[in-house]
Amino acid sequence: MSLIDRLKKEAVLANASRASSTTVFGTGANTPMPSGAATPVVHGGITTPDPEKTLEGHYHPYMTWKTGIMGLVASIGGLMFGYDTGQISGFLAMDEFLQHFGEYNAATGEYFFSNVRSGLLVGMLNIGNLCGALLAAPLADRVGRKPSITTWAFIYTIGVVVQISAVEKWYQVVIGRWAGGLGVGALSVLVPLYLSETAPTHNRGTITCLYQLFVTLGILFANIINFGTEGLYSTAAWRIAMGIDFLWALSLGIGMLFFPESPKHNYRNGNHIGAAHTMSRLLGTDVAHPTVTKEIVEMASKLSAEHAGGPPSWNEIFTGPRMLYRTLLGISIMSFQQLTGANFFFYYGTTVFAATGLSNPYVTQIILGAVNVFCTFPGLYFVAKFSRRKCLFWGALWMSACFLAFASLGTFALDQDQPTNTPRVGAAMIVFACLFIASFASTWGPMSWGESAALYPARYRATSMALATSANWVFNFALAFCTPFVTRRIGFRYGYVFAACCAVMAGTTWFFQIESQGRSLEELDTMYVLGVKPWGSENWKAEKEEEEEEEEEGMVDRVALETGKEAGEKVDEMVERRKDEMGIRKA
């Protein structure tokens, strides 16, 4: 029995079990037919829209509750990342943490962190992140995305145990942060990968961006908890913040057990019906809905094309069809997310704003964290409604301008010996820092994860994403470790480095990145292989003969209504035609 026949049988059984009331195929059970919808046609007990209509004539919810809950639970992996990022900034300025893990200056009678020690305490997490990101891909391809996420969430708790049990050995905290980083790094690959492969095409961008929203929530939660505990005169000042890490890890690890495997992974491993069921449940339709069928056909086409090329090898992420271009672009996008300079504020913000004369820099960190969270919500709207290339382009230019102003004020206007003598300059610097965070949170923060995941075909996606995310962690560590040394040498001039990086980011986005808004992962793969010009990609449409185009559009609608050998032959015909388009048909 062909796959389409099996999908049709599943749909018949599902509809037979419902009440006899007429429903619209794609809107969900007992949902009234929208005004102006296509006339229903009943075949074998299945109520469907008119098969002569294109996909625009079929209805389904923009987002089902299952899709939303799936995105929220999986994105706890981002919250773990953000929480670890935010809490270390407060620890470095916390008296109790300094007394247990800092160095004592006999001349002043105070504890302090040397550049090396503070760099390792902050940056060793990123070394663990790098290792975890590289290890995540092979496991995800072998056992699946879902069980991998659960496994790495529990590995993360090992690092938390090592850190929270430290008393005086600063290197025990460093080792614990490295172990915890293994989990965070692996999840930074697996969560965006899972979300991009599981979410329906029309809301993939929004769902994937939830990861970054939770990163920002994690940073804000850490800032608030640090503010509430920094005045305690015991190890609870920092152990409370560390202990909450268990809550996030257990919520993610256990929560993922209730969600399905990625349909892309299922399909590639032979579970075709399971893939179709997952897609239909998250879309809010039956398994034979044209949108589900269309993606199944595209996955079949791509998988058939990949099989024609033989088993994959790791070097194909550089030698495959336009893969060198895409691999380097993915590395660039994820590296640039760090080179924006956002973590300059999140890692060392407490120290930076203390230098502007603020009496309680923890408050400023909370303000920045709140701006980061609330400005991510517009980013979720932008990614769904506007060109992602343009959002990234203008966001990069805006951040560049903000860092130019921040660096100039700090270098030429702020009294660095007595910052309290120039309070207005300090206030202006905070304003530009907030404007920078607002731009980052609504563009590069959330969009870079989704755009990186959309670059690659399924054959190389996990490995390529691991490499791109590893680049992110390399620069994350470099900035975390080097920032104390750099700022003590050049001070606020450091901001000019980030301003220049943001300007380069804008050019890279405009000239090299294809528009992904509203396109399936398979369609984006075709666009990159065909060498579509990025600046014309927003309006690109595959060139086909008019009769062929009409036939393919009609087939996606009819395939759920046809039975037997005819439907299977039509699917095979489309797969072969798309293989010809990709130029990979064997002689």
Side-chain angles (χ1 to χ4, degrees):
M1 181 181 293
S2 70
L3 173 60
I4 298 301
D5 289 337
R6 293 167 69 189
L7 291 180
K8 183 178 184 298
K9 182 178 179 181
E10 292 281 350
V12 171
L13 294 174
N15 280 274
S17 66
R18 294 177 180 166
S20 59
S21 59
T22 301
T23 63
V24 178
F25 196 48
T27 59
N30 304 318
T31 304
M33 187 175 186
S35 177
T39 304
V41 179
V42 179
H43 289 260
I46 307 176
T47 304
T48 68
D50 186 343
E52 296 304 317
K53 298 292 182 181
T54 59
L55 285 178
E56 285 76 9
H58 300 284
Y59 295 90
H60 53 71
Y62 175 75
M63 185 180 297
T64 64
W65 67 269
K66 292 180 181 178
T67 302
I69 297 298
M70 178 271 295
L72 292 174
V73 172
S75 294
I76 294 174
L79 191 144
M80 292 162 62
F81 171 24
Y83 190 79
D84 260 341
T85 299
Q87 70 178 2
I88 194 62
S89 175
F91 288 172
L92 293 180
M94 199 174 284
D95 290 337
E96 279 293 327
F97 195 78
L98 274 166
Q99 290 172 18
H100 280 80
F101 305 111
E103 299 175 63
Y104 182 70
N105 187 331
T108 62
E110 296 179 348
Y111 288 88
F112 71 100
F113 284 119
S114 66
N115 290 341
V116 173
R117 189 170 295 192
S118 63
L120 288 174
L121 284 168
V122 174
M124 192 53 68
L125 174 77
N126 305 130
I127 296 297
N129 294 155
L130 172 61
C131 298
L134 292 173
L135 293 171
L139 182 63
D141 282 338
R142 180 167 299 181
V143 305
R145 283 54 164 145
K146 169 187 166 180
S148 296
I149 291 175
T150 296
T151 300
W152 286 106
F154 286 110
I155 289 175
Y156 172 80
T157 62
I158 297 174
V160 178
V161 170
V162 174
Q163 291 180 72
I164 206 169
S165 61
V167 179
E168 294 180 347
K169 307 299 184 183
W170 67 274
Y171 49 82
Q172 183 176 338
V173 178
V174 170
I175 293 171
R177 283 181 62 78
W178 175 82
L182 291 174
V184 173
L187 293 172
S188 71
V189 174
L190 297 172
V191 171
L193 176 63
Y194 176 80
L195 294 177
S196 67
E197 289 188 345
T198 306
T201 297
H202 64 279
N203 57 33
R204 185 185 69 238
T206 301
I207 292 297
T208 307
C209 286
L210 286 176
Y211 178 80
Q212 179 63 24
L213 173 63
F214 273 63
V215 172
T216 66
L217 284 170
I219 294 172
L220 179 60
F221 289 166
N223 291 337
I224 293 173
I225 292 169
N226 282 342
F227 176 72
T229 63
E230 58 100 11
L232 299 177
Y233 296 102
S234 70
T235 58
W238 47 273
R239 278 183 168 152
I240 289 175
M242 285 184 180
I244 292 174
D245 285 322
F246 284 110
L247 174 63
W248 314 137
L250 293 176
S251 298
L252 176 62
I254 296 173
M256 284 302 299
L257 298 177
F258 299 93
F259 292 95
E261 179 56 86
S262 151
K264 309 283 186 185
H265 180 80
N266 270 342
Y267 193 91
R268 288 178 60 80
N269 287 273
N271 187 3
H272 300 164
I273 291 297
H277 271 297
T278 298
M279 292 166 62
S280 66
R281 287 196 296 268
L282 295 176
L283 192 65
T285 69
D286 290 307
V287 290
H289 186 275
T291 301
V292 177
T293 305
K294 178 176 182 290
E295 289 213 31
I296 289 291
V297 168
E298 288 180 342
M299 284 191 283
S301 171
K302 293 294 182 183
L303 186 60
S304 178
E306 291 174 16
H307 286 168
S313 59
W314 70 268
N315 63 302
E316 288 183 21
I317 65 174
F318 301 105
T319 61
R322 290 212 85 195
M323 281 304 299
L324 178 61
Y325 179 99
R326 287 186 274 181
T327 298
L328 293 178
L329 180 58
I331 290 173
S332 298
I333 290 172
M334 297 308 295
S335 299
F336 281 144
Q337 196 208 36
Q338 290 302 317
L339 292 172
T340 58
N343 280 345
F344 169 69
F345 294 115
F346 296 137
Y347 282 142
Y348 294 102
T350 308
T351 306
V352 168
F353 289 110
T356 66
L358 290 173
S359 58
N360 192 335
Y362 284 95
V363 174
T364 303
Q365 279 294 84
I366 293 175
I367 293 172
L368 289 179
V371 171
N372 195 23
V373 170
F374 291 118
C375 288
T376 302
F377 286 99
L380 300 181
Y381 178 79
F382 294 161
V383 76
K385 296 296 182 181
F386 301 117
S387 164
R388 294 168 193 174
R389 285 182 69 253
K390 292 178 181 177
C391 287
L392 293 174
F393 175 76
W394 290 111
L397 292 181
W398 180 269
M399 289 187 289
S400 180
C402 289
F403 248 123
L404 280 173
F406 180 87
S408 297
L409 286 169
T411 302
F412 302 111
L414 182 71
D415 186 339
Q416 298 187 30
D417 294 324
Q418 292 294 330
T420 53
N421 292 337
T422 51
R424 293 185 179 180
V425 176
M429 292 177 68
I430 294 172
V431 169
F432 279 108
C434 289
L435 290 174
F436 168 86
I437 295 298
S439 179
F440 175 81
S442 58
T443 56
W444 276 86
M447 294 184 191
S448 55
W449 296 101
E451 291 303 286
S452 175
L455 287 173
Y456 317 108
R459 180 182 179 91
Y460 320 112
R461 187 171 295 128
T463 303
S464 297
M465 279 196 65
L467 186 61
T469 307
S470 297
N472 180 284
W473 293 120
V474 167
F475 280 98
N476 201 325
F477 170 76
L479 293 174
F481 184 78
C482 296
T483 291
F485 298 95
V486 176
T487 54
R488 292 188 184 185
R489 290 294 298 272
I490 63 174
F492 290 106
R493 289 183 178 86
Y494 197 21
Y496 293 126
V497 176
F498 296 123
C501 290
C502 290
V504 174
M505 288 159 47
T508 302
T509 300
W510 187 261
F511 290 109
F512 297 102
Q513 189 170 337
I514 283 178
E515 179 58 58
S516 64
Q517 206 272 340
R519 301 190 186 276
S520 69
L521 298 179
E522 289 74 21
E523 187 177 8
L524 287 169
D525 178 40
T526 299
M527 293 172 71
Y528 276 107
V529 170
L530 295 179
V532 174
K533 300 298 182 186
W535 48 89
S537 60
E538 188 173 350
N539 300 315
W540 179 85
K541 187 176 182 181
E543 295 181 4
K544 300 175 183 173
E545 295 294 332
E546 184 176 348
E547 294 181 2
E548 180 183 347
E549 185 174 296
E550 291 177 356
E551 179 185 354
E552 288 196 7
E553 289 178 350
M555 179 200 157
V556 171
D557 289 317
R558 291 193 298 273
V559 75
L561 308 175
E562 297 172 345
T563 60
K565 185 177 179 181
E566 182 181 359
E569 289 176 347
K570 285 183 176 290
V571 173
D572 292 340
E573 181 182 332
M574 176 180 283
V575 170
E576 291 300 318
R577 183 159 54 244
R578 295 210 173 151
K579 283 167 62 180
D580 284 337
E581 291 172 4
M582 298 293 292
I584 58 171
R585 175 189 284 273
K586 288 187 175 180

